[in-house]
Amino acid sequence: MADMADMAGKADDEPALPRIQALPSWLLNRASARGRRLVTEALAQDGMRMPHHAVLSAVADLGPVAQAELGRTTGFDPKDMVGILNDLQAQELITRTPDPADRRKNAIALTPAGRRRLARLTKLGDEANEALLAALTPAERELFLALLSRVVADTTPGGDQNGSGNGR
């Protein structure tokens, strides 16, 4: 019983919430939530949602690209990918045509309207990220991004290398 009393005394010495709020995991989560909110609000100014923007960006980088490869690259569930592609195609931002190399597959490509829309969305996303890092100097931003990249790429035992960044 004395051990329990000692443990309780130690817990009382250090307030739990401030300790939790100083943890890197807590701070990264809060920064991530703020960043997601800022980017979501920015993209909404142009009527776009984050998953749709992520897919549009991936198509710009990879296109024309097979629908299955696009799903693997972005990490979206195939059912979700179909819905996102349907939405983007309805807005005439992408085309889905049979892949010349394998007619059983769809090749996804940006339309000229999709390229113009992506340029606007990129500007809005950049502005949101500028707001996110506004409290940092340019040198601090560079260091912060370098350090975050190292944390995300951590492959040490116990390191979680799942940073898919798919915007979900």
Coordinates of all heavy atoms in Angstrom, one line a residue, residues 39-98:
V39 N -6.0 24.3 -44.4 CA -6.0 23.9 -45.8 C -7.5 23.5 -46.2 O -7.9 23.9 -47.3 CB -5.1 22.7 -46.0 CG1 -5.2 22.1 -47.4 CG2 -3.6 23.1 -45.8
T40 N -8.2 22.9 -45.4 CA -9.6 22.6 -45.7 C -10.4 23.9 -46.0 O -11.1 23.9 -47.0 CB -10.3 21.8 -44.5 OG1 -9.6 20.6 -44.4 CG2 -11.8 21.6 -44.8
E41 N -10.2 24.9 -45.2 CA -10.9 26.1 -45.4 C -10.5 26.8 -46.7 O -11.3 27.4 -47.4 CB -10.7 27.1 -44.2 CG -11.5 26.6 -42.9 CD -11.1 27.4 -41.7 OE1 -10.2 28.3 -41.7 OE2 -11.6 27.1 -40.6
A42 N -9.2 26.8 -46.9 CA -8.6 27.4 -48.1 C -9.2 26.7 -49.4 O -9.6 27.4 -50.3 CB -7.1 27.4 -48.1
L43 N -9.1 25.4 -49.4 CA -9.6 24.7 -50.6 C -11.1 24.9 -50.8 O -11.6 24.9 -51.9 CB -9.3 23.2 -50.5 CG -7.8 22.8 -50.4 CD1 -7.6 21.3 -50.3 CD2 -7.1 23.3 -51.7
A44 N -11.8 25.0 -49.7 CA -13.3 25.2 -49.8 C -13.6 26.5 -50.5 O -14.7 26.6 -51.1 CB -13.9 25.2 -48.4
Q45 N -12.7 27.5 -50.4 CA -12.9 28.8 -51.1 C -13.1 28.5 -52.6 O -13.8 29.3 -53.3 CB -11.8 29.7 -50.9 CG -11.6 30.2 -49.5 CD -10.4 31.1 -49.4 OE1 -10.0 31.8 -50.3 NE2 -9.8 31.0 -48.2
D46 N -12.6 27.4 -53.1 CA -12.7 27.1 -54.5 C -13.5 25.9 -54.7 O -13.5 25.2 -55.8 CB -11.3 26.9 -55.1 CG -11.3 27.0 -56.6 OD1 -11.7 28.0 -57.2 OD2 -10.8 26.0 -57.3
G47 N -14.3 25.5 -53.7 CA -15.2 24.4 -53.8 C -14.6 23.0 -53.9 O -15.2 22.1 -54.5
M48 N -13.4 22.9 -53.3 CA -12.7 21.6 -53.4 C -12.5 21.0 -52.0 O -12.3 21.8 -51.0 CB -11.3 21.8 -54.1 CG -10.5 20.6 -54.3 SD -11.2 19.4 -55.5 CE -11.2 20.3 -57.0
R49 N -12.5 19.7 -51.9 CA -12.2 19.0 -50.7 C -10.8 18.4 -50.7 O -10.3 18.2 -51.8 CB -13.2 17.9 -50.4 CG -14.6 18.5 -50.1 CD -15.7 17.5 -49.9 NE -15.3 16.2 -49.6 CZ -16.0 15.1 -50.0 NH1 -17.0 15.2 -50.8 NH2 -15.5 13.9 -49.7
M50 N -10.2 18.2 -49.5 CA -8.8 17.7 -49.5 C -8.6 16.4 -50.2 O -7.6 16.4 -51.0 CB -8.4 17.6 -48.0 CG -8.1 19.0 -47.4 SD -7.5 18.9 -45.7 CE -5.9 18.2 -45.9
P51 N -9.4 15.4 -50.1 CA -9.1 14.2 -50.9 C -9.1 14.4 -52.4 O -8.3 13.9 -53.1 CB -10.2 13.2 -50.4 CG -10.7 13.8 -49.2 CD -10.5 15.2 -49.2
H52 N -10.0 15.2 -52.8 CA -10.1 15.5 -54.3 C -8.9 16.3 -54.7 O -8.3 16.0 -55.8 CB -11.4 16.3 -54.6 CG -12.6 15.6 -54.3 ND1 -13.0 15.2 -53.0 CD2 -13.6 15.1 -55.1 CE1 -14.2 14.5 -53.1 NE2 -14.5 14.5 -54.4
H53 N -8.4 17.2 -53.9 CA -7.2 17.9 -54.2 C -6.0 17.0 -54.3 O -5.1 17.1 -55.1 CB -7.0 19.1 -53.2 CG -5.7 19.8 -53.4 ND1 -4.7 19.9 -52.5 CD2 -5.3 20.6 -54.4 CE1 -3.7 20.6 -52.9 NE2 -4.1 21.1 -54.1
A54 N -5.9 16.1 -53.3 CA -4.8 15.1 -53.3 C -4.8 14.3 -54.5 O -3.7 14.0 -55.1 CB -4.9 14.2 -52.0
V55 N -5.9 13.8 -55.0 CA -6.0 13.0 -56.2 C -5.7 13.8 -57.4 O -4.9 13.4 -58.3 CB -7.4 12.3 -56.3 CG1 -7.6 11.7 -57.7 CG2 -7.6 11.3 -55.2
L56 N -6.2 15.0 -57.5 CA -5.9 15.9 -58.6 C -4.4 16.2 -58.7 O -3.8 16.1 -59.8 CB -6.7 17.2 -58.4 CG -7.1 18.0 -59.7 CD1 -7.9 17.2 -60.6 CD2 -7.8 19.2 -59.2
S57 N -3.8 16.4 -57.6 CA -2.3 16.6 -57.5 C -1.6 15.3 -58.0 O -0.6 15.4 -58.7 CB -1.9 17.0 -56.1 OG -2.4 18.2 -55.7
A58 N -2.0 14.2 -57.5 CA -1.3 12.9 -57.9 C -1.5 12.7 -59.4 O -0.5 12.3 -60.1 CB -1.9 11.8 -57.1
V59 N -2.6 13.0 -60.0 CA -2.8 12.8 -61.4 C -1.9 13.7 -62.2 O -1.3 13.3 -63.2 CB -4.3 13.0 -61.8 CG1 -4.5 13.0 -63.3 CG2 -5.2 11.9 -61.2
A60 N -1.8 14.9 -61.7 CA -0.9 15.9 -62.3 C 0.6 15.4 -62.3 O 1.3 15.5 -63.3 CB -0.9 17.3 -61.6
D61 N 1.0 14.8 -61.2 CA 2.3 14.2 -61.1 C 2.6 12.9 -61.9 O 3.6 12.7 -62.5 CB 2.7 14.0 -59.6 CG 2.9 15.3 -58.9 OD1 3.0 16.3 -59.5 OD2 2.9 15.2 -57.6
L62 N 1.6 12.1 -61.9 CA 1.7 10.7 -62.5 C 1.1 10.5 -63.8 O 1.4 9.6 -64.5 CB 1.1 9.7 -61.5 CG 1.6 9.7 -60.1 CD1 0.7 8.8 -59.2 CD2 3.0 9.2 -60.0
G63 N 0.1 11.4 -64.2 CA -0.8 11.1 -65.3 C -0.1 11.1 -66.6 O 1.0 11.6 -66.8
P64 N -0.8 10.4 -67.6 CA -1.9 9.6 -67.3 C -1.5 8.4 -66.5 O -0.4 7.8 -66.7 CB -2.4 9.1 -68.7 CG -1.5 9.7 -69.7 CD -0.4 10.5 -69.0
V65 N -2.4 8.0 -65.6 CA -2.0 7.0 -64.6 C -3.2 6.0 -64.5 O -4.4 6.4 -64.6 CB -1.7 7.6 -63.2 CG1 -2.9 8.4 -62.7 CG2 -1.2 6.6 -62.3
A66 N -2.9 4.7 -64.3 CA -3.9 3.7 -64.1 C -4.6 4.0 -62.8 O -4.0 4.4 -61.8 CB -3.3 2.3 -64.1
Q67 N -5.9 3.8 -62.8 CA -6.8 4.1 -61.6 C -6.3 3.3 -60.4 O -6.2 3.8 -59.3 CB -8.2 3.7 -61.9 CG -9.2 4.1 -60.8 CD -10.6 3.9 -61.3 OE1 -10.9 4.2 -62.4 NE2 -11.5 3.5 -60.4
A68 N -5.9 2.0 -60.6 CA -5.4 1.2 -59.5 C -4.1 1.8 -58.9 O -3.9 1.8 -57.7 CB -5.2 -0.3 -59.9
E69 N -3.2 2.2 -59.8 CA -1.9 2.8 -59.3 C -2.2 4.1 -58.6 O -1.5 4.3 -57.6 CB -1.0 3.0 -60.5 CG 0.4 3.6 -60.1 CD 1.3 3.9 -61.3 OE1 1.0 3.5 -62.4 OE2 2.2 4.7 -61.0
L70 N -3.1 4.8 -59.1 CA -3.5 6.1 -58.4 C -3.9 5.8 -57.0 O -3.5 6.5 -56.0 CB -4.5 6.8 -59.2 CG -4.9 8.2 -58.7 CD1 -3.8 9.2 -58.7 CD2 -6.0 8.7 -59.7
G71 N -4.8 4.8 -56.8 CA -5.2 4.4 -55.5 C -4.1 4.0 -54.6 O -4.1 4.4 -53.4
R72 N -3.2 3.2 -55.1 CA -2.1 2.7 -54.3 C -1.2 3.9 -53.9 O -0.7 4.0 -52.8 CB -1.2 1.7 -55.1 CG -1.8 0.3 -55.1 CD -0.9 -0.7 -55.7 NE -0.5 -0.4 -57.0 CZ -1.2 -0.8 -58.1 NH1 -2.3 -1.5 -58.0 NH2 -0.7 -0.5 -59.3
T73 N -0.9 4.8 -54.8 CA 0.0 5.9 -54.6 C -0.6 6.9 -53.5 O 0.1 7.4 -52.7 CB 0.2 6.7 -55.9 OG1 0.8 5.8 -56.8 CG2 1.1 7.9 -55.7
T74 N -1.9 7.1 -53.6 CA -2.5 8.1 -52.7 C -3.0 7.4 -51.4 O -3.2 8.1 -50.4 CB -3.8 8.7 -53.3 OG1 -4.7 7.7 -53.7 CG2 -3.4 9.6 -54.5
G75 N -3.1 6.1 -51.4 CA -3.6 5.4 -50.2 C -5.1 5.4 -50.0 O -5.5 4.9 -48.9
F76 N -5.8 5.8 -50.9 CA -7.3 5.8 -50.8 C -7.8 4.4 -51.1 O -7.4 3.7 -51.9 CB -7.9 6.8 -51.7 CG -7.7 8.2 -51.3 CD1 -7.0 9.1 -52.1 CD2 -8.3 8.7 -50.1 CE1 -6.8 10.4 -51.7 CE2 -8.1 10.1 -49.7 CZ -7.3 10.9 -50.5
D77 N -8.9 4.1 -50.3 CA -9.6 2.8 -50.5 C -10.2 2.9 -52.0 O -10.6 3.9 -52.4 CB -10.7 2.7 -49.5 CG -11.6 1.5 -49.6 OD1 -11.2 0.5 -49.0 OD2 -12.6 1.5 -50.4
P78 N -10.2 1.7 -52.7 CA -10.7 1.7 -54.0 C -12.1 2.3 -54.2 O -12.4 3.0 -55.1 CB -10.6 0.2 -54.5 CG -9.5 -0.3 -53.6 CD -9.6 0.4 -52.3
K79 N -13.0 2.0 -53.2 CA -14.4 2.5 -53.3 C -14.4 4.0 -53.2 O -15.1 4.7 -53.9 CB -15.2 1.9 -52.2 CG -15.5 0.4 -52.4 CD -16.4 -0.2 -51.3 CE -15.6 -0.1 -50.0 NZ -15.5 -1.0 -49.1
D80 N -13.5 4.5 -52.3 CA -13.4 6.0 -52.1 C -12.9 6.6 -53.4 O -13.3 7.7 -53.8 CB -12.6 6.4 -50.9 CG -13.2 5.9 -49.6 OD1 -14.4 5.8 -49.5 OD2 -12.4 5.7 -48.6
M81 N -11.9 6.0 -53.9 CA -11.2 6.5 -55.1 C -12.3 6.6 -56.3 O -12.3 7.6 -57.0 CB -10.1 5.6 -55.6 CG -9.4 6.1 -56.8 SD -8.6 7.7 -56.7 CE -7.3 7.4 -55.6
V82 N -13.1 5.6 -56.4 CA -14.1 5.7 -57.5 C -15.0 6.9 -57.3 O -15.3 7.7 -58.2 CB -15.0 4.4 -57.5 CG1 -16.2 4.6 -58.4 CG2 -14.1 3.2 -58.0
G83 N -15.4 7.2 -56.1 CA -16.3 8.3 -55.8 C -15.6 9.6 -56.1 O -16.2 10.6 -56.6
I84 N -14.3 9.7 -55.6 CA -13.5 10.9 -55.9 C -13.4 11.2 -57.4 O -13.6 12.3 -57.9 CB -12.2 10.9 -55.2 CG1 -12.4 10.9 -53.7 CG2 -11.2 12.0 -55.6 CD1 -11.1 10.5 -52.9
L85 N -13.0 10.1 -58.1 CA -12.8 10.2 -59.6 C -14.1 10.6 -60.2 O -14.2 11.4 -61.2 CB -12.2 9.0 -60.1 CG -10.8 8.7 -59.7 CD1 -10.4 7.3 -60.3 CD2 -9.9 9.8 -60.2
N86 N -15.3 10.0 -59.8 CA -16.6 10.4 -60.3 C -16.8 11.9 -60.2 O -17.3 12.6 -61.1 CB -17.7 9.6 -59.7 CG -17.7 8.2 -60.2 OD1 -17.1 7.8 -61.2 ND2 -18.4 7.3 -59.4
D87 N -16.5 12.4 -59.0 CA -16.7 13.8 -58.7 C -15.9 14.7 -59.6 O -16.3 15.7 -60.1 CB -16.4 14.2 -57.2 CG -17.4 13.5 -56.2 OD1 -18.5 13.1 -56.6 OD2 -17.0 13.5 -55.0
L88 N -14.6 14.3 -59.7 CA -13.6 15.1 -60.5 C -14.0 15.1 -62.0 O -13.9 16.1 -62.7 CB -12.2 14.6 -60.3 CG -11.6 14.9 -58.9 CD1 -10.3 14.2 -58.7 CD2 -11.5 16.3 -58.6
Q89 N -14.5 13.9 -62.4 CA -14.9 13.8 -63.8 C -16.2 14.6 -64.1 O -16.3 15.2 -65.2 CB -15.1 12.3 -64.2 CG -15.3 12.1 -65.7 CD -15.3 10.6 -66.0 OE1 -15.5 9.7 -65.2 NE2 -15.1 10.3 -67.3
A90 N -17.1 14.6 -63.2 CA -18.3 15.3 -63.3 C -18.0 16.8 -63.5 O -18.8 17.6 -64.1 CB -19.3 15.1 -62.1
Q91 N -16.9 17.3 -62.8 CA -16.5 18.7 -62.9 C -15.6 18.9 -64.1 O -15.1 20.0 -64.3 CB -15.8 19.1 -61.6 CG -16.6 19.1 -60.4 CD -15.8 19.4 -59.2 OE1 -15.2 20.5 -59.1 NE2 -15.8 18.5 -58.2
E92 N -15.4 17.9 -64.9 CA -14.5 17.9 -66.1 C -13.1 18.3 -65.8 O -12.5 19.0 -66.6 CB -15.2 18.8 -67.2 CG -16.5 18.3 -67.6 CD -17.2 19.2 -68.7 OE1 -16.7 20.3 -69.0 OE2 -18.2 18.8 -69.2
L93 N -12.6 17.8 -64.6 CA -11.2 18.1 -64.2 C -10.3 17.0 -64.6 O -9.1 17.2 -64.7 CB -11.2 18.4 -62.7 CG -12.1 19.5 -62.2 CD1 -12.0 19.6 -60.7 CD2 -11.6 20.8 -62.9
I94 N -10.9 15.8 -64.8 CA -10.1 14.6 -65.3 C -10.8 13.9 -66.4 O -12.0 14.1 -66.6 CB -9.8 13.6 -64.1 CG1 -11.1 13.1 -63.6 CG2 -9.0 14.2 -63.0 CD1 -11.1 11.8 -62.9
T95 N -10.1 13.1 -67.1 CA -10.7 12.1 -68.0 C -10.3 10.7 -67.6 O -9.3 10.5 -67.0 CB -10.2 12.3 -69.5 OG1 -8.8 12.2 -69.5 CG2 -10.6 13.7 -70.0
R96 N -11.2 9.8 -67.9 CA -11.0 8.4 -67.6 C -11.2 7.7 -69.0 O -12.3 7.6 -69.5 CB -12.0 7.8 -66.6 CG -11.5 7.9 -65.2 CD -12.4 7.0 -64.3 NE -13.6 7.7 -64.0 CZ -14.4 7.5 -62.9 NH1 -14.0 6.6 -62.1 NH2 -15.5 8.1 -62.8
T97 N -10.1 7.2 -69.5 CA -10.2 6.5 -70.8 C -9.5 5.1 -70.7 O -8.7 4.9 -69.8 CB -9.5 7.3 -71.9 OG1 -8.2 7.5 -71.5 CG2 -10.3 8.6 -72.1
P98 N -9.9 4.2 -71.5 CA -9.2 2.9 -71.5 C -7.7 3.1 -71.7 O -7.3 3.8 -72.6 CB -9.9 2.1 -72.6 CG -11.2 2.7 -72.8 CD -11.0 4.2 -72.5

